[in-house]
């Protein structure tokens, strides 16, 4: 069994070096894989005006960064993510889930425009 999968299954938090700067945004997922190369994720983040290089990708909440997107199968409260969707593997094959994701993105952008007085500012 993969060590990361074992730690995740046991709900064991991984040690993080204090020297490593924390990125300002977090994308939560279930996969034990590097998602930073996924085109779909990059597209969604671009729509949210978030640079992919400013995002940390993890399977659990990390103190500090804002949760931009929660795509874990099991949703945990409190829900603090800007957008919440089905896991990445389900989005391409489930039109209803994809539609809900796009609606959330649209609502988030509309809220940002209202908050910023019509200007869509970079985060």
């Amino acid at each position: 069994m993969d060590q990361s999968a074992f730690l995740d299954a046991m709900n064991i938090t991984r040690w993080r070096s204090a020297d490593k700067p924390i990125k300002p945004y977090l994308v939560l997922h279930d996969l034990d894989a590097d998602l930073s190369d996924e085109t779909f994720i990059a597209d969604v983040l671009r729509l949210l005006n978030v640079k992919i290089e400013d995002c940390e990708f993890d399977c659990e909440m990390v103190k500090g960064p804002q949760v931009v997107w929660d795509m874990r199968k099991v949703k945990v409260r409190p829900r603090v993510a800007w957008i919440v969707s089905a896991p990445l593997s389900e989005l391409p094959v489930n039109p209803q889930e994809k539609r809900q994701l796009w609606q959330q993105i649209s609502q988030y952008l509309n809220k940002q425009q209202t908050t910023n007085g019509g200007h869509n500012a970079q985060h």
Side-chain angles (χ1 to χ4, degrees):
M1 176 183 251
D2 178 34
Q3 182 181 13
S4 294
F6 177 75
L7 293 174
D8 290 340
M10 299 300 292
N11 287 327
I12 297 173
T13 306
R14 290 178 199 82
W15 178 82
R16 292 179 186 270
S17 170
D19 298 341
K20 181 181 169 191
I22 295 176
K23 296 181 180 183
Y25 303 112
L26 177 64
V27 176
L28 295 169
H29 60 90
D30 291 326
L31 302 173
D32 186 25
D34 180 16
L35 299 181
S36 60
D37 289 338
E38 289 286 336
T39 306
F40 184 77
I41 291 176
D43 290 343
V44 169
L45 292 174
R46 194 174 315 107
L47 287 171
L48 296 171
N49 295 313
V50 173
K51 296 177 184 170
I52 198 163
E53 48 281 350
D54 288 342
C55 292
E56 191 76 40
F57 292 84
D58 209 328
C59 299
E60 60 184 38
M61 291 285 291
V62 178
K63 201 172 194 176
Q66 282 189 303
V67 181
V68 175
W69 187 0
D70 186 348
M71 63 176 97
R72 295 175 294 178
K73 191 170 204 72
V74 177
K75 307 300 184 227
V76 181
R77 292 196 181 271
R79 293 192 181 157
V80 294
W82 300 353
I83 57 174
V84 178
S85 75
L88 187 62
S89 60
E90 294 177 25
L91 286 171
V93 295
N94 189 330
Q96 180 64 25
E97 288 290 341
K98 196 182 258 186
R99 189 175 307 114
Q100 287 177 358
L101 174 63
W102 295 124
Q103 286 173 346
Q104 288 181 66
I105 292 168
S106 177
Q107 288 171 351
Y108 176 80
L109 292 175
N110 287 339
K111 187 171 83 171
Q112 287 303 108
Q113 278 191 321
T114 302
T115 304
N116 296 326
H119 301 294
N120 201 354
Q122 289 286 328
H123 298 277

